[in-house]
């Protein structure tokens, strides 16, 4: 075999090995906080010649806003983003989630729990106390919890460094299937990331405390966890996360360049003056060339306005 062909094939393999994703939930339109996650995950994946996938996390119909998924996709296009491959919808993945649940149950790693939130509050201030662990309940209308192992309470984040969670609430046996029959977020995310080959997870720091649980699930499912990059949250003057309603209304496509500049600034990236006058696609291209992971803030960033001059 031609040796140059071998090296080209190897090169391609290496280049395509990096898989990242953006995974919004359609509980509303895209807002500034989610733009930061979209932008950060896109730039990190693309700077490493990786793939960037789009997944719609429509796993929770009661929280879904009609038409939001479509609007999110349209907004991403208007902001110049291009994703690789087909969009994955969690609403079409119930079979995969249920297979994982069945397997974990057969291995006695999860158990049924009939406790209400009120009971858990009364018994143990809202932190689950393994009340049902040995009750041998078999009831399809009960929730299912996973026996958590405290050894998974810490991990290393590529941006924030060593992270450790030691509060009782972080270490409780968490729910993988809800009482209403819906699969829980923690489980769905891990199954999807495994099946999509995602090995670099870039997302907002509001999901930092989900990471030990997800790493534990990776372990039980015999898969290597991804590398994590938790991006700084945007907070108000008092340090509270910007809620969608308060300061972060839906981002408007006709101001795409402005919002991209603002998001870049929040991610600690250089924003050149001319940026405001070029198209979103051009901004993304230039931002990609200038991207610096080591200037991304490790802590939350206060909401600020960027002068659009
Ligand atoms: Zn229980």
């Amino acid at each position: 075999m031609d040796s140059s062909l071998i090296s080209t094939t190897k090169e391609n393999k290496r280049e395509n090995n990096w898989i990242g994703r953006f995974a919004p939930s359609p509980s509303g339109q895209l807002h500034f906080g989610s733009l930061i996650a979209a932008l950060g995950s896109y730039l990190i994946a693309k700077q490493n010649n990786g793939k960037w996938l789009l997944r719609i996390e429509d796993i929770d119909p009661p929280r879904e806003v009609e038409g939001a998924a479509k609007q999110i996709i349209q907004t991403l296009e208007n902001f110049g983003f291009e994703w690789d491959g087909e969009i994955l919808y969690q609403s079409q993945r119930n079979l995969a989630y249920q297979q994982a649940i069945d397997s974990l149950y057969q291995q006695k790693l999860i158990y049924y729990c009939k406790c209400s939130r009120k009971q858990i509050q009364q018994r143990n201030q809202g932190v689950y106390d393994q009340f049902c662990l040995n009750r041998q309940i078999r009831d399809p209308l009960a929730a299912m919890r996973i026996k958590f192992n405290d050894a998974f309470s810490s991990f290393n984040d590529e941006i924030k460094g060593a992270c450790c969670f030691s509060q009782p609430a972080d270490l409780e046996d968490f729910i993988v299937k809800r009482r209403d029959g819906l699969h829980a977020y923690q489980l769905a995310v891990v199954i999807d990331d495994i099946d999509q080959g995602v090995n670099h997870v870039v997302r907002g720091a509001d999901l930092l405390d989900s990471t030990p649980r997800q790493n534990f699930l990776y372990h039980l499912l015999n898969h290597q966890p991804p590398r994590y990059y938790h991006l700084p949250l945007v907070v108000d003057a008092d340090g509270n996360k910007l809620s969608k309603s308060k300061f972060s209304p839906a981002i408007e496509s006709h101001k795409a360049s402005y919002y991209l500049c603002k998001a870049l600034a929040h991610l600690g990236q250089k924003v050149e003056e001319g940026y405001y006058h070029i198209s979103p696609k051009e901004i993304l291209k230039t931002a990609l060339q200038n991207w610096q992971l080591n200037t991304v803030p490790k802590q939350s960033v206060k909401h600020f306005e960027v002068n659009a001059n």
Side-chain angles (χ1 to χ4, degrees):
M1 202 176 179
D2 181 351
S3 64
S4 67
L5 190 64
I6 296 173
S7 67
T8 315
T9 315
K10 262 191 179 167
E11 190 65 15
N12 284 342
K13 231 182 161 180
R14 192 179 65 80
E15 282 185 2
N16 293 331
N17 204 22
W18 186 294
I19 303 180
R21 44 76 162 176
F22 174 54
S25 59
S27 53
Q29 294 187 42
L30 211 65
H31 56 98
F32 186 59
S34 17
L35 176 66
I36 288 178
L39 182 63
S41 61
Y42 174 84
L43 292 174
I44 290 174
K46 290 297 162 186
Q47 221 216 9
N48 290 283
N49 298 313
K51 285 189 176 142
W52 186 66
L53 313 179
L54 177 59
R55 181 167 78 223
I56 301 292
E57 300 203 323
D58 52 352
I59 197 180
D60 194 350
R63 284 193 57 218
E64 195 170 331
V65 172
E66 212 190 319
K70 234 176 162 176
Q71 281 172 332
I72 288 172
I73 294 165
Q74 185 61 55
T75 304
L76 288 171
E77 281 177 357
N78 295 341
F79 275 65
F81 291 104
E82 284 177 43
W83 49 90
D84 296 290
E86 300 277 308
I87 301 173
L88 188 78
Y89 290 84
Q90 287 193 327
S91 55
Q92 294 166 14
R93 300 265 303 148
N94 279 322
L95 188 61
Y97 305 148
Q98 191 53 47
Q99 279 171 348
I101 293 274
D102 291 344
S103 159
L104 292 170
Y105 185 70
Q106 276 161 16
Q107 298 172 71
K108 298 191 166 42
L109 299 168
I110 56 178
Y111 59 94
Y112 285 102
C113 166
K114 292 188 88 165
C115 304
S116 67
R117 203 170 287 190
K118 199 176 160 190
Q119 288 169 325
I120 300 169
Q121 185 62 41
Q122 282 167 351
R123 282 203 311 262
N124 198 30
Q125 280 116 45
V127 176
Y128 192 64
D129 54 359
Q130 297 190 316
F131 184 78
C132 299
L133 178 59
N134 297 312
R135 285 177 75 203
Q136 315 281 350
I137 302 165
R138 278 202 83 145
D139 181 350
L141 296 176
M144 297 186 96
R145 288 185 184 269
I146 198 151
K147 277 188 266 181
F148 188 63
N149 180 339
D150 295 2
F152 287 81
S153 60
S154 55
F155 65 97
N156 189 62
D157 187 82
E158 300 295 321
I159 293 172
K160 297 175 88 74
C163 298
C164 186
F165 290 87
S166 52
Q167 295 300 313
D170 297 319
L171 308 175
E172 68 177 5
D173 288 358
F174 59 93
I175 289 180
V176 285
K177 192 167 184 182
R178 298 173 8 180
R179 261 144 58 111
D180 57 10
L182 293 172
H183 296 101
Y185 163 79
Q186 308 291 2
L187 178 91
V189 165
V190 170
I191 302 296
D192 288 345
D193 281 337
I194 288 173
D195 288 354
Q196 293 192 285
V198 172
N199 45 23
H200 294 267
V201 168
V202 183
R203 59 187 181 190
D206 50 335
L207 290 165
L208 203 63
D209 62 357
S210 287
T211 310
R213 297 165 190 196
Q214 293 174 4
N215 277 344
F216 183 53
L217 279 167
Y218 275 98
H219 167 75
L220 295 183
L221 297 162
N222 293 317
H223 280 271
Q224 185 74 18
R227 283 176 190 266
Y228 296 98
Y229 305 70
H230 285 92
L231 302 171
L233 293 181
V234 186
V235 294
D236 64 18
D238 301 323
N240 301 313
K241 186 189 164 189
L242 289 193
S243 67
K244 282 176 203 177
S245 52
K246 210 175 166 193
F247 290 105
S248 273
I251 45 175
E252 303 136 299
S253 291
H254 69 274
K255 289 203 226 160
S257 296
Y258 164 73
Y259 280 115
L260 282 172
C261 290
K262 199 168 143 174
L264 281 171
H266 272 279
L267 287 171
Q269 305 301 302
K270 200 164 71 180
V271 180
E272 285 164 22
E273 231 172 86
Y275 272 21
Y276 295 101
H277 307 294
I278 60 177
S279 69
K281 268 200 165 53
E282 285 293 319
I283 293 180
L284 291 181
K285 209 174 132 191
T286 317
L288 198 49
Q289 287 160 0
N290 295 336
W291 175 258
Q292 298 283 344
L293 185 64
N294 58 11
T295 57
V296 176
K298 293 185 191 336
Q299 305 301 332
S300 300
V301 177
K302 286 210 173 108
H303 184 257
F304 57 85
E305 291 298 326
V306 176
N307 287 330
N309 295 319

